[in-house]
Amino acid sequence: MARNKVTVIGAGNVGATTAQRIAEAGLADVVLVDIVEGLPQGKGLDLAEAAPVVGHDAAILGTNDYADTAGSDIIVVTSGIPRKPGMSRDDLIATNAGIVGGVVKSAAAVSPDAIIIVVTNPLDVMCHVAMQASGFPRERVLGMAGVLDSARFRTFIARELGVSVVDVHAFVLGGHGDTMVPLSRYSTVAGVPITELLPPDRVKALEDRTANGGAEIVGLLKTGSAFYAPAASTFEMVDAILRDRKRVLPCATYLTGEFGVDGLYVGVPVVLGRGGLERVFEIELTAEERVAFDKSVNAVRELVAALPA
Ligand code: APR
């Protein structure tokens, strides 16, 4: 059986850490791509030299040439630039849309059957760019955000209650940003909703911390943004797809009527398997949740409108 091949575009913090996780799990051969010459080659070689110690035999190649990515099963897109001081939100969108559109075009041309996982921010908008640039159907263009957001929520819930993160499940919906909607009544410890375990003000505090989870890390790091948890979350999606696990994971998904939304990428729970998006996992929202969800959807719609024509 041919080995799986995953291309990771962007050999920065998130990309290189994702490549490391995939290789060390022996899940697939990895091609690491960046625009900077030497960077993917150096990190790729360094990762390969860890293999004898770790004991895996995944091949890792660092390159600036998309020809090396041909025939990939999955393309992970992390390339982009962070928002710099003085840069407007729209400037960032235009710059990263140019980067993501360009790399996706190059990569999709040589891997026409691949599944694309977008990680570059602003996430929901970059998913639109990737779908357009690739011409792939929605089943094969997904964004990583909800797994990370719910991992953050799980971490905070587990710490608050002094229980293992393993026994905590959390549910988040909506765009990847401060309007995201943590759904506490579906967030549980061993099956018990946290709304029955914590007073409302504590639940609200955990939800707010989750919605601002990315900014909290940026504030601590001063330069750069989170990458360990984003890479672990991306890995979980890659693993669900390559091993056809039918995991139910929150992913940025192009909705075509589900949750009352048409023609927009929004984070919702989906079934992930070898075909990529296999099913949208639709649930009923309460009136209050619907208001928060609509607000989040509108925030995504505004960002998409800021995309250069
Ligand atoms: N082609 C290929 N690689 C590119 C291109 C391009 N056109 N433009 C930029 N890159 C590369 C950069 O050279 C850099 O190595 O993308 C990499 C981005 O890495 P970092 O700056 O370390 O950013 P990182 O922390 O990895 O975050 C990447 O993921 O979570 C999101 O918000 C985050 O959008 C950001 C992305």
Side-chain angles (χ1 to χ4, degrees):
M1 201 174 91
R3 291 154 72 126
N4 287 311
K5 178 172 178 177
V6 177
T7 286
V8 179
I9 306 175
N13 280 337
V14 177
T17 311
T18 302
Q20 178 184 11
R21 295 195 71 95
I22 294 169
E24 292 191 351
L27 190 59
D29 291 341
V30 181
V31 180
L32 191 57
V33 187
D34 204 281
I35 195 165
V36 177
E37 278 178 34
L39 180 70
Q41 289 86 349
K43 290 195 179 181
L45 182 59
D46 193 9
L47 283 169
E49 289 167 355
V53 183
V54 177
H56 70 80
D57 48 23
I60 303 156
L61 175 75
T63 183
N64 309 111
D65 183 355
Y66 284 88
D68 292 322
T69 71
S72 292
D73 297 283
I74 296 185
I75 298 164
V76 175
V77 180
T78 76
S79 52
I81 59 153
R83 187 157 164 181
K84 302 200 175 105
M87 193 177 197
S88 76
R89 189 201 63 186
D90 291 0
D91 289 343
L92 177 73
I93 289 178
T95 304
N96 279 353
I99 293 173
V100 168
V103 305
V104 165
K105 238 188 195 85
S106 304
V110 291
S111 297
D113 300 320
I115 293 166
I116 298 174
I117 300 175
V118 181
V119 183
T120 305
N121 277 312
L123 194 268
D124 308 280
V125 188
M126 293 307 131
C127 290
H128 278 268
V129 172
M131 189 161 86
Q132 258 167 16
S134 63
F136 289 2
R138 72 165 184 161
E139 284 73 18
R140 295 197 285 118
V141 186
L142 295 153
M144 190 294 293
V147 177
L148 171 63
D149 295 330
S150 67
R152 286 180 171 146
F153 200 14
R154 289 171 68 189
T155 307
F156 303 146
I157 293 167
R159 286 189 176 187
E160 177 84 9
L161 289 164
V163 300
S164 166
V165 289
V166 175
D167 295 314
V168 179
H169 287 270
F171 204 125
V172 295
L173 275 180
H176 184 50
D178 50 15
T179 61
M180 83 179 67
V181 189
L183 282 194
S184 289
R185 73 190 168 103
Y186 286 132
S187 299
T188 62
V189 177
V192 182
I194 60 165
T195 46
E196 291 178 23
L197 299 170
L198 289 167
D201 63 321
R202 288 311 304 157
V203 170
K204 174 82 171 65
L206 300 182
E207 290 177 354
D208 289 348
R209 192 173 175 194
T210 301
N212 295 301
E216 183 177 4
I217 303 277
V218 170
L220 290 166
L221 293 180
K222 312 284 189 301
T223 56
S225 49
F227 58 99
Y228 291 115
S233 304
T234 307
F235 171 83
E236 190 169 47
M237 290 175 65
V238 171
D239 176 69
I241 293 167
L242 290 181
R243 295 170 61 203
D244 194 25
R245 295 184 67 184
K246 319 286 186 199
R247 294 287 311 275
V248 181
L249 298 175
C251 300
T253 304
Y254 189 79
L255 297 180
T256 54
E258 301 92 347
F259 289 91
V261 178
D262 196 9
L264 200 69
Y265 267 94
V266 182
V268 296
V270 301
V271 178
L272 271 194
R274 197 62 187 83
L277 164 74
E278 301 200 342
R279 182 156 50 97
V280 175
F281 199 81
E282 225 175 335
I283 57 155
E284 284 295 322
L285 300 179
T286 63
E288 200 185 332
E289 289 161 356
R290 171 54 64 182
V291 170
F293 181 72
D294 287 346
K295 188 173 161 209
S296 189
V297 168
N298 286 334
V300 175
R301 218 183 284 284
E302 268 177 38
L303 287 182
V304 173
L307 271 176

